[in-house]
């Protein structure tokens, strides 16, 4: 394809069943960057066959995979999306449009479950609690810290993101807000994922996630800016 308008980073761990559909749903001008984060199935092979750029990131962690994709991107705009078919890449142009128009610095997809089982109750509760904390302590009016998002590549690189685990999306949002970016949020469909979840999904894990991120947000509230790299790296949410 010619030079892409948007590179779509797809962190991937054993997603061979979902990748053909996900990559096939990308609009024209959007290039898939599949970051293989230690898959033991045929994910990388299938992604290449579908036309994706495949990047290997041996260090496990969502942030490791997402950032490796960002570094590999060359398009002016970078989007992020899960590779498990829970979110439809065909919806990305709606998120990208305000970036192209210059009316937003970062646009997030607010997940709207399409079926009752698409989003487990404890995970939905954790997300809602985190969104409330983000609004109260960081002053960012969002309802979801979901994985689908878009922003300009050079601006994302300038944020100097440090987290390499599950705190990566939160660090991105906090630093973007601290930098004066306009944050927008649009509804996106959220479907049952294909295959087995890589997230623990336990109630105990949910409580740990909210506790850790709330500590990070307290730092933001006290410091009046994005949390220091040391605080961000302390997150250990899986």
């Amino acid at each position: 394809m010619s030079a892409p308008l948007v590179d779509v980073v797809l962190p991937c761990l054993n997603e061979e069943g979902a990748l053909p559909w996900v990559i096939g749903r990308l609009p024209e001008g959007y290039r898939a960057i599949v970051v293989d984060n230690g898959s033991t199935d045929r994910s990388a092979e299938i992604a290449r066959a579908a036309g994706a750029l495949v990047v290997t990131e041996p260090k496990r962690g969502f942030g490791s995979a997402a950032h490796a994709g960002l570094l590999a991107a060359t398009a002016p705009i970078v989007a992020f999306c899960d590779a498990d078919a829970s979110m439809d890449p065909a919806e990305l142009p709606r998120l990208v449009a305000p970036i192209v128009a210059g009316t937003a610095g970062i646009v997030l997809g607010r997940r709207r479950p399409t079926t009752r089982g698409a989003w487990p109750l404890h995970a939905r509760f954790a997300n809602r609690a985190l969104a409330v904390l983000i609004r109260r302590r960081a002053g960012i009016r969002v309802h979801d810290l979901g994985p689908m998002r878009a922003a300009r590549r050079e601006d994302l690189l300038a944020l100097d993101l440090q987290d390499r685990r599950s705190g990566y999306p939160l660090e991105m949002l906090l630093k973007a807000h601290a930098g004066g970016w306009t944050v927008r949020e649009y509804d996106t469909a959220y479907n049952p994922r294909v295959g087995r979840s890589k997230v623990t999904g336990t109630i105990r894990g949910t409580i740990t996630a909210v506790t850790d991120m709330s500590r990070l947000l307290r730092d933001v509230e006290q410091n009046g800016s994005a949390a220091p790299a040391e605080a961000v790296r302390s997150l250990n949410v899986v």
Side-chain angles (χ1 to χ4, degrees), residues 19-20 25 39 41 44 59 66 71 74 76 81 88 96 113 135 145 157 160 185 190 197 207 219 228-229 237:
L19 282 172
R25 295 289 291 173
S39 298
D41 64 3
K59 184 177 179 181
L71 295 177
T74 58
C81 184
D88 188 352
V96 168
R135 292 197 296 270
L145 193 65
L157 290 171
D160 189 27
E185 188 177 55
Y190 193 55
S197 175
I207 293 172
D219 291 337
V237 183

Side-chain angles (χ1 to χ4, degrees), residues 60-177:
R60 288 287 185 92
F62 177 83
S64 293
H67 201 69
L70 173 60
L71 295 177
T74 58
I77 295 172
V78 176
F80 298 85
C81 184
D82 279 350
D84 58 10
S86 61
M87 308 189 83
D88 188 352
E91 296 192 56
L92 281 170
R94 189 173 180 223
L95 276 65
V96 168
I99 305 298
V100 174
T103 58
I106 186 168
V107 182
L108 312 177
R110 181 182 183 182
R111 289 170 288 186
R112 295 293 196 178
T114 58
T115 65
R116 193 169 187 176
W119 203 353
L121 184 60
H122 63 269
R124 193 182 308 189
F125 170 78
N127 182 75
R128 185 176 300 173
L130 177 59
V132 169
L133 290 172
I134 291 172
R135 292 197 296 270
R136 289 180 179 174
R137 292 180 175 167
I140 311 173
R141 297 185 62 82
V142 296
H143 299 84
D144 185 12
L145 193 65
M148 184 179 278
R149 53 188 59 204
R152 291 197 174 274
R153 179 176 62 87
E154 290 186 1
D155 292 342
L156 287 170
L157 290 171
L159 292 179
D160 189 27
L161 301 174
Q162 298 295 317
D163 185 84
R164 294 298 180 264
R165 292 178 64 87
S166 297
Y168 189 84
L170 178 57
E171 182 191 7
M172 182 187 296
L173 179 60
L174 293 176
K175 286 189 172 180
H177 178 69

